[in-house]
Each structure stands twice: as structure tokens, then as C-alpha cells.
Amino acid sequence: MPNAHTSRTPGTGRLGVDEVRRRLPELTVIDVRTPGEYASGHVPGALNVPLDRLESALPALRESAAELLIVCRSGARSEQARALLARHGVPAADLTGGTNAWAAEGHELHRPSGGARAGWAMERQVRLTAGALVLVGLGLGLLHPAWLSLSAGIAGGLVLSAVTDTCGMAAVLSRLPHNRPRPADLATTLATLAARGSH
């Protein structure tokens, strides 16, 4: 019985790891994670267009001659990106399980040369920030009970995040300088897409 990462899910626009590996040369792979996450390891040949900059890349993506494959860490953000592209008439598939599944199957992840320090994945940043805020709230609660509301608020936010499958904290953290793309990076990506689209 094939596993979830090696088969194509019919009718959903999702490709399994084995199919992506086989068809990689004919795909234009767009990684929608933050530049820091992208630098920590990405599918070979993937171009970085962070999710919050995807709309600005629509013209270039629309002109892409190759089939688009959207990738993120686990598949959640790539599904959001694929839905956004679909609303704008741009067909795309996404990688089932994201780069996690790709690496779990033993396939290589590319990293930028030059010894750039890899950034933390957004999920890890959220866990660190939420945990730190809870601890601060509990610590300050020893001085005054009102501070316990900070910990309660973070706990409530995490529950809401799970129920709605969104993350306000991730949205805030993605705007910090170490998670923000440099304009030149996106410009280079768009130029690469334009060049591919002209072939």
C-alpha cells in the first residue's frame, strides 16, 4: 500500500514526493516559506516567493511555461498559496507533506552557498515565542496576579490557532527583519520566472 507521500492525490492538485522527484526537471517549484526557512533547506531548483509576497508575483507566475509546484514546510502554506493562485486563474499543484516529506524520503535539500546561517522554521519560532511569553506571564504573576492574563491570552491564542488553522503570531513574526525577504531576492526570482516564461 503506497504511503501518503508517494502517490498522487486525485482531484486535489497535490503531488506525492515520488512523482515530484520523477518530474522535477519539468516543474517550476515555488517555495512560499520565509527566506530564513528557505535558506535552511529547500527542494532543488525551488525559487523563493514568500506567501505574503505571492500576489506581487502573480504576473510572472501566470506566464510560467512550466507546471507550477508550490512547496512549504508541511503543506499548509502551500495549500493556501495554491488556493490564492486558483482564485487568480493560475493553475498549480502542491507537494504533499512539503519539504518535511521530501527530506523524510531521503531526498536532498539545497542550501545557499557562502555559509549563510540557516534560519529557524516559522513553527519553531512560534513555539519559542509562545513558550517564552507564557513563562514571562507566569513569572510576573508571582508579583501580581494580573500578569497571569498574559499566559491565559497566549493559551487562548494557541487554541484559536488550532481551531481556525491560522496563526496570528506567525503573521507577526513573519514581518520581523530576519524573516522578511530582501527586495533584490524577489526581483531575482521574478526575473528568473520571466526568463523561463519566455522559453
Side-chain angles (χ1 to χ4, degrees):
M1 178 175 165
N3 66 40
H5 300 320
T6 58
S7 61
R8 178 167 184 158
T9 308
T12 64
R14 292 186 176 150
L15 300 181
V17 170
D18 283 353
E19 184 169 359
V20 169
R21 178 69 176 172
R22 194 168 54 250
R23 299 182 54 209
L24 195 56
E26 66 192 59
L27 299 170
T28 292
V29 183
I30 304 296
D31 191 318
V32 296
R33 297 175 298 162
T34 67
E37 292 175 285
Y38 173 81
S40 72
H42 54 269
V43 172
L47 302 171
N48 187 214
V49 181
L51 183 58
D52 65 348
R53 302 295 300 276
L54 194 61
E55 289 198 51
S56 63
L58 279 171
L61 293 171
R62 193 174 282 117
E63 297 301 317
S64 176
E67 181 181 349
L68 293 176
L69 177 72
I70 311 300
V71 177
C72 67
R73 180 175 178 269
S74 63
R77 281 176 282 177
S78 61
E79 175 59 27
Q80 292 177 45
R82 192 171 66 84
L84 185 152
L85 292 173
R87 289 195 299 272
H88 290 275
V90 180
D94 66 320
L95 173 61
T96 302
T99 54
N100 282 352
W102 179 267
E105 293 286 333
H107 300 309
E108 179 185 10
L109 291 174
H110 281 194
R111 293 171 176 85
S113 58
R117 189 166 63 92
W120 281 11
M122 184 57 64
E123 181 182 333
R124 187 178 180 191
Q125 294 181 49
V126 168
R127 291 198 309 262
L128 173 69
T129 305
L133 289 172
V134 167
L135 287 175
V136 167
L138 291 173
L140 292 174
L142 297 173
L143 302 175
H144 193 285
W147 282 106
L148 295 174
S149 62
L150 174 62
S151 297
I154 296 299
L158 291 172
V159 170
L160 180 64
S161 173
V163 169
T164 63
D165 197 23
T166 61
C167 187
M169 188 175 290
V172 172
L173 291 174
S174 71
R175 300 185 181 282
L176 294 177
H178 67 277
N179 285 325
R180 295 293 295 173
R182 295 187 299 271
D185 291 339
L186 187 57
T188 300
T189 296
L190 296 181
T192 303
L193 282 169
R196 291 182 183 182
S198 65
H199 292 162

